[in-house]
Amino acid sequence: MIQKECKYWIPGHSIDCVVLGFENNILKVLLLKMRHSEKWSLPGGFIKKKEDLDAAALRALSDRTGLKSIYLSQFHTFGAYERRGKSEVDRLMHEIGQLNKTVAQWLSNRFLTTGYFAFADVQKARPVPDFISEKAEWVAIDELPTLIFDHLEIINKALQHIKLKLNYLPIGDALLPPKFTMAMLQKLYETILGRALDRANFQKKMLKLGIFDRLEKLKTGAANKAPYLYSFHRKKYERVLKEGIGYL
Amino acid sequence: MIQKECKYWIPGHSIDCVVLGFENNILKVLLLKMRHSEKWSLPGGFIKKKEDLDAAALRALSDRTGLKSIYLSQFHTFGAYERRGKSEVDRLMHEIGQLNKTVAQWLSNRFLTTGYFAFADVQKARPVPDFISEKAEWVAIDELPTLIFDHLEIINKALQHIKLKLNYLPIGDALLPPKFTMAMLQKLYETILGRALDRANFQKKMLKLGIFDRLEKLKTGAANKAPYLYSFHRKKYERVLKEGIGYL
DNA sequence: ACAAAAGTGTTATCCTTACACCCATGT
DNA sequence: ACATGGGTGTAAGGATAACACTTTTGT
């Protein structure tokens, strides 16, 4: 069935998704472990002959995560001639060739790839490996394993891009659970920006935006004051996001 | 010769360049007038089978402008299935088919296109039309003629992108002549940002960056005080640009 | 003398930063 | 009582915005 599908795909162009999640105050990325190799790869896919590029990315994403509505945005197209590395392509195609010659042949050609980044709720996502990988997992962004091809470069470019457009991206809404504390939101900003932020000032700056609903307190059982939980006020959130939120 | 070249190009993927220039205080874009049609198009090109995507963009650009060193950056890949419009492709291919069937055939397939934007010195550029266009010209950004396919969308996306990354782009250095006045620089910022800026504050803000060399005064012959000319102090300019210049 | 554009100065306001202080909670 | 983390307050410094004032130039 994969074999037959090759005919329905545009040749020479792939999609790679940098899917980010936030769990236990750690930023994570969804990765696939290759079969017959110690390397990992980004979830990706190909474009059907009559399919929009964006639609293909959405499809790839929903195939790997089971999620349909998700924040997704294109950030860069990678087109260096030898971006996949000659020896690595050879080795990989040898492995795949054992399973399916047609597919291996098709994959061994040159590929441009368009990178998308996405924000997913780690709780809701159900990672599913594709046919050339053996498992799909969330991996902490600062403990990345060895990746195939230029996938590390793709991840780094995605993070750089996100950092730059941070103020216009719905990171809070898309990466946090419906109810969250200011400390969680702050940690999220800190990991993405890569620097510490002042607790008091962060809180005041955020609250002044007027996009939060303050909810009940969260009792953690720890020996300290219980923090408030917050949720985003949809309408206000979207209005403010257009103008840009937070830190530059 | 174009016919033969088709074999050396990657099929289904093109490049389109939004080349900006600044002349007489007006922001301009380089456009090509199609043969046999009232429509205009962006200068573009295709990718050789063993060529980096970025290299292809540079080549396309130097072919159309005669400029080799130029600021060039990718901003988006357009991949909507019918982005070129069925009827428009048909009509165009009919015209081209008269000249060269092979090329027309090749062009009638689906294409993804990667958009690049570039900053060029209008004085130094020598616009050269390609084989399907009859002339190449600088056109004021707010007096655009009818464009083929989705080229208007591509231009708008480029401008939007530039606006967002303004602080990190060498617009002054790349778009102004070696010697320029503060008024010119301000007008440039104003056109890109789409809003007026306070003259006094602009001047102070810019000068405080410490990236300019103040030169002689410019005598215009007008009945008013002569403004100073400035040039960028290379080293300081590059250092400051990394941190971000100007307005957000 | 005058208009027009350039250069510089002044002020109020806002935002950022750094830190201080008190509050709630479980041991 | 006390350690711990959460919420709020304050004061200094810097950036921004609005506008006034002076200077230069050619008619």
Side-chain angles (χ1 to χ4, degrees), chain B residues 204-230:
Chain B
K204 273 176 291 183
K205 186 165 194 168
M206 283 295 160
L207 289 181
K208 195 162 49 168
L209 292 170
I211 56 176
F212 299 97
D213 290 325
R214 180 176 273 185
L215 310 172
E216 75 277 9
K217 294 192 176 191
L218 170 69
K219 300 253 182 179
T220 62
N224 53 38
K225 192 171 176 178
Y228 287 107
L229 284 171
Y230 294 90

Side-chain angles (χ1 to χ4, degrees), chain B residues 56-104:
Chain B
L58 260 183
R59 181 173 50 75
L61 204 60
S62 104
D63 284 353
R64 295 296 132 253
T65 64
L67 299 174
K68 268 166 297 187
S69 72
I70 201 170
Y71 184 87
L72 182 70
S73 176
Q74 183 194 310
F75 65 93
H76 193 77
T77 294
F78 300 83
Y81 169 50
E82 301 232 62
R83 53 169 283 268
R84 300 201 298 169
K86 208 163 165 40
S87 66
E88 213 173 335
V89 172
D90 287 348
R91 205 175 324 123
L92 192 64
M93 293 321 139
H94 179 72
E95 296 294 348
I96 296 177
Q98 318 252 345
L99 300 168
N100 188 319
K101 292 225 165 172
T102 314
V103 173

Side-chain angles (χ1 to χ4, degrees), chain A residues 74-92:
Chain A
Q74 184 194 310
F75 66 92
H76 193 77
T77 294
F78 299 83
Y81 169 50
E82 300 232 62
R83 53 169 283 269
R84 300 201 299 169
K86 209 164 164 41
S87 66
E88 211 171 338
V89 171
D90 287 348
R91 205 174 323 125
L92 192 65

Side-chain angles (χ1 to χ4, degrees), chain A residues 2-192:
Chain A
I2 293 292
Q3 182 163 354
K4 215 172 88 189
E5 281 184 17
C6 287
K7 289 194 302 191
Y8 298 116
W9 288 331
I10 289 181
H13 201 112
S14 64
I15 283 172
D16 284 302
C17 299
V18 178
V19 190
L20 298 176
F22 193 65
E23 194 182 31
N24 302 331
N25 276 350
I26 294 174
L27 192 64
K28 298 181 177 183
V29 59
L30 185 64
L31 294 181
L32 306 180
K33 167 73 176 53
M34 310 291 294
R35 273 203 245 263
H36 316 291
S37 163
E38 285 314 300
K39 298 194 177 178
W40 295 64
S41 83
L42 289 171
F46 304 102
I47 310 144
K48 291 180 188 165
K49 292 206 167 145
K50 297 198 174 184
E51 182 182 40
D52 290 348
L53 181 59
D54 287 348
L58 259 183
R59 181 172 50 75
L61 205 59
S62 102
D63 284 353
R64 296 295 132 254
T65 64
L67 299 174
K68 268 166 297 187
S69 72
I70 201 169
Y71 184 86
L72 181 70
S73 174
Q74 184 194 310
F75 66 92
H76 193 77
T77 294
F78 299 83
Y81 169 50
E82 300 232 62
R83 53 169 283 269
R84 300 201 299 169
K86 209 164 164 41
S87 66
E88 211 171 338
V89 171
D90 287 348
R91 205 174 323 125
L92 192 65
M93 294 321 138
H94 179 73
E95 297 293 347
I96 296 176
Q98 317 254 344
L99 301 168
N100 189 317
K101 291 227 167 170
T102 315
V103 173
Q105 171 67 39
W106 192 77
L107 280 173
S108 66
N109 288 316
R110 176 180 179 183
F111 271 82
L112 303 189
T113 196
T114 296
Y116 280 79
F117 69 88
F119 299 139
D121 186 332
V122 179
Q123 311 302 333
K124 288 187 194 152
R126 291 278 152 269
V128 180
D130 63 13
F131 91 105
I132 48 165
S133 52
E134 67 185 31
K135 60 180 173 181
E137 269 179 22
W138 290 102
V139 180
I141 200 76
D142 51 3
E143 292 175 7
L144 293 177
T146 311
L147 295 159
I148 59 163
F149 306 153
D150 54 352
H151 285 199
L152 177 59
E153 183 190 340
I154 295 177
I155 291 177
N156 286 333
K157 190 98 177 182
L159 293 175
Q160 184 188 317
H161 185 90
I162 289 169
K163 202 166 155 183
L164 210 70
K165 290 188 69 176
L166 187 56
N167 291 1
Y168 305 94
L169 296 176
I171 50 163
D173 186 40
L175 287 172
L176 295 177
K179 298 178 178 187
F180 52 90
T181 64
M182 272 298 150
M184 292 168 68
L185 185 60
Q186 182 178 345
K187 200 86 188 80
L188 175 56
Y189 271 88
E190 287 181 333
T191 11
I192 291 179

Side-chain angles (χ1 to χ4, degrees), chain B residues 12-23:
Chain B
H13 201 113
S14 64
I15 283 171
D16 285 302
C17 299
V18 178
V19 190
L20 298 177
F22 193 66
E23 195 182 31

Side-chain angles (χ1 to χ4, degrees), chain B:
Chain B
M1 101 279 172
I2 292 292
Q3 181 162 354
K4 215 172 86 189
E5 282 184 17
C6 287
K7 288 194 304 191
Y8 298 116
W9 288 331
I10 288 180
H13 201 113
S14 64
I15 283 171
D16 285 302
C17 299
V18 178
V19 190
L20 298 177
F22 193 66
E23 195 182 31
N24 302 331
N25 276 351
I26 295 173
L27 192 63
K28 299 182 176 182
V29 59
L30 185 63
L31 294 180
L32 306 180
K33 167 71 175 54
M34 309 292 294
R35 275 203 244 262
H36 316 293
S37 164
E38 285 313 301
K39 298 194 176 177
W40 296 64
S41 82
L42 289 170
F46 304 103
I47 309 145
K48 292 179 187 165
K49 293 207 166 142
K50 297 198 174 185
E51 184 181 38
D52 289 350
L53 181 60
D54 287 347
L58 260 183
R59 181 173 50 75
L61 204 60
S62 104
D63 284 353
R64 295 296 132 253
T65 64
L67 299 174
K68 268 166 297 187
S69 72
I70 201 170
Y71 184 87
L72 182 70
S73 176
Q74 183 194 310
F75 65 93
H76 193 77
T77 294
F78 300 83
Y81 169 50
E82 301 232 62
R83 53 169 283 268
R84 300 201 298 169
K86 208 163 165 40
S87 66
E88 213 173 335
V89 172
D90 287 348
R91 205 175 324 123
L92 192 64
M93 293 321 139
H94 179 72
E95 296 294 348
I96 296 177
Q98 318 252 345
L99 300 168
N100 188 319
K101 292 225 165 172
T102 314
V103 173
Q105 171 67 39
W106 192 79
L107 280 173
S108 65
N109 289 314
R110 177 180 178 183
F111 270 83
L112 303 189
T113 196
T114 297
Y116 280 78
F117 70 88
F119 299 139
D121 186 332
V122 179
Q123 311 301 334
K124 289 187 193 151
R126 290 280 151 270
V128 180
D130 63 12
F131 92 106
I132 49 167
S133 53
E134 67 184 30
K135 61 180 172 181
E137 267 179 25
W138 291 102
V139 180
I141 202 75
D142 52 3
E143 292 175 7
L144 293 177
T146 311
L147 294 159
I148 58 163
F149 305 152
D150 54 352
H151 285 200
L152 177 59
E153 183 191 340
I154 295 177
I155 291 178
N156 286 332
K157 189 98 178 182
L159 293 176
Q160 184 188 318
H161 185 90
I162 289 169
K163 202 165 154 182
L164 210 70
K165 289 188 68 176
L166 223 208
N167 290 2
Y168 305 94
L169 295 176
I171 51 164
D173 186 41
L175 287 173
L176 294 177
K179 299 177 177 187
F180 54 90
T181 64
M182 271 300 149
M184 292 167 69
L185 184 60
Q186 182 178 345
K187 201 85 187 79
L188 176 56
Y189 271 88
E190 288 181 334
T191 21
I192 291 179
L193 290 173
R195 64 188 171 95
L197 301 171
D198 182 275
R199 187 177 58 85
N201 296 330
F202 181 84
Q203 175 122 341
K204 273 176 291 183
K205 186 165 194 168
M206 283 295 160
L207 289 181
K208 195 162 49 168
L209 292 170
I211 56 176
F212 299 97
D213 290 325
R214 180 176 273 185
L215 310 172
E216 75 277 9
K217 294 192 176 191
L218 170 69
K219 300 253 182 179
T220 62
N224 53 38
K225 192 171 176 178
Y228 287 107
L229 284 171
Y230 294 90
S231 67
F232 285 104
H233 185 107
R234 290 273 141 211
K235 298 194 67 165
K236 292 177 191 166
Y237 183 68
E238 279 152 27
R239 189 153 7 101
V240 172
L241 187 58
K242 273 188 209 128
E243 308 299 315
I245 287 178
Y247 291 85
L248 41 148

